[in-house]
Amino acid sequence: MTHSPPPGTPRARIPGPQQPPPPYPRIAAGLWKRCLGGGLGLWALTAAAMYATSDAALLPTLILLGGFLAPVAFVLWAYERHGRDLGVSAVLGCFLAGGALGVLGTASAEPYPPHSSLAILLGVGLVEEAAKLGALVFVLRRQPGISGTRAGLVLGAALGFGFAALESTGSAFDAAFSEGVGLRALLETQLLRGLLAPAGQALWTAITGGMLLSLRRPNGRFRYAPPLVAACMGAALLHALWDATHGVALRLAERLASTAPGARPGAPGYPSGPSAVQQHLFTLFSIGGAALVGLAGVAWVLSLLSLTRRNTSWRRNTP
């Protein structure tokens, strides 16, 4: 005969089934939008405060916000849409460590003469793309399970954005302290770099990264096959064309403005930068040329996506 327990006696609780923890951190949807909007507002407030007070102490904040805002927002978007299963450590490692290693690796390739030929710019682009590819290999050397085209595109873009953020920040500091660039010119440069960031360094490294990880063996070893070499050469060509837009825009502005009929590019006394009369034409040609090069890279990426989505390497990207 059993007796019911007296009132007030605690009863044993049977734990219910527990859900396994998610394999990746749950980041709220739209974080990249809040980051971009909040960062842009803070950057604008900092610029307004510096313009009103002329306080040089605000310059580092302005440069760091302008250099890292667009890259960080795009990396958050790529992680949220396509890279959650890769892990935060891989994406963050490619952005920070890979970007820093890429900048160090390309330090010997710059600076180059302002009126360099396409062959010199192609060599510089090849050195920079090879350095970024080596940085990607170094960051992923102990994560053999990460492979596939999608993983390469996401992680390559993250490394390219890290490279672009550090490069833009360094160039802005150098221009502000060495050349004495005015506040208006600095703000315009940061806005243009932010708008063109997705079609520049990140796009080229995403192409080579996608090819690198699509050829990765199951045991984690990297294959340096001819398709990877061709992708690296193509990215170097886009890089060279991108760098050449500055000189081409300057020459076109000089010819159309007709301010110096007898001057030749590279001749003694030839201006190293656009004059006040040429400024609008130079900006138009420079931005237009960079946009055309960026569109060529976007078309390449879209064709790569259309081909790789048909096979299993598009989904084979998780550890």
Side-chain angles (χ1 to χ4, degrees):
M1 182 176 181
T2 59
H3 300 278
S4 60
T9 304
R11 298 182 179 181
R13 295 181 178 179
I14 301 176
Q18 296 182 355
Q19 298 293 332
Y24 47 81
R26 293 188 178 277
I27 296 180
L31 178 61
W32 68 273
K33 297 180 182 178
R34 295 189 293 273
C35 175
L36 182 61
L40 189 60
L42 185 59
W43 178 80
L45 289 176
T46 305
M50 187 173 177
Y51 182 80
T53 62
S54 300
D55 188 1
L58 297 174
L59 185 60
T61 303
L62 184 68
I63 292 177
L64 289 174
L65 281 174
F68 279 84
L69 177 58
V72 169
F74 275 103
V75 168
L76 286 175
W77 173 83
Y79 176 80
E80 179 184 330
R81 294 289 301 272
H82 304 291
R84 289 179 179 267
D85 49 356
L86 298 175
V88 175
S89 60
V91 178
L92 190 61
C94 287
F95 181 78
L96 295 178
L101 290 174
V103 170
L104 290 175
T106 60
S108 59
E110 295 181 353
Y112 45 84
H115 299 289
S116 302
S117 63
L118 185 59
I120 295 177
L121 295 178
L122 183 60
V124 172
L126 188 59
V127 170
E128 293 194 3
E129 294 307 316
K132 289 187 289 183
L133 196 63
L136 185 61
V137 171
F138 179 81
V139 173
L140 300 178
R141 71 193 188 283
R142 294 185 179 178
Q143 303 184 55
I146 296 181
S147 61
T149 305
R150 180 161 67 97
L153 289 173
V154 173
L155 297 180
L159 192 147
F161 276 123
F163 181 94
L166 294 174
E167 184 185 45
S168 299
T169 302
S171 299
F173 272 111
D174 181 68
F177 291 105
S178 300
E179 304 175 10
V181 175
L183 178 60
R184 180 177 178 180
L186 178 63
L187 296 179
E188 291 178 353
T189 302
Q190 287 192 320
L191 280 174
L192 292 177
R193 282 181 175 268
L195 291 174
L196 296 175
Q201 299 283 359
L203 186 66
W204 311 324
T205 315
I207 293 172
T208 55
M211 188 61 65
L212 174 70
L213 292 189
S214 68
L215 299 173
R216 194 176 193 182
R217 292 189 174 96
N219 60 1
R221 295 178 64 90
F222 293 97
R223 294 175 54 202
Y224 303 100
L228 178 61
V229 177
C232 191
M233 291 295 296
L237 179 59
L238 290 177
H239 196 155
L241 292 176
W242 183 283
D243 291 339
T245 55
H246 181 275
V248 173
L250 186 58
R251 289 176 176 85
L252 290 176
E254 175 72 19
R255 289 176 180 272
L256 293 180
S258 300
T259 56
R264 292 182 296 105
Y270 188 81
S272 59
S275 64
V277 180
Q278 303 166 341
Q279 184 65 48
H280 296 292
L281 287 175
F282 171 78
T283 303
L284 176 63
F285 292 139
S286 181
I287 296 176
L292 289 177
V293 176
L295 288 177
V298 170
W300 189 4
V301 169
L302 292 178
S303 63
L304 182 64
L305 292 179
S306 64
L307 292 176
T308 54
R309 278 177 172 170
R310 301 172 186 174
N311 54 44
T312 56
S313 67
W314 174 254
R315 300 181 180 274
R316 183 172 56 87
N317 57 14
T318 56

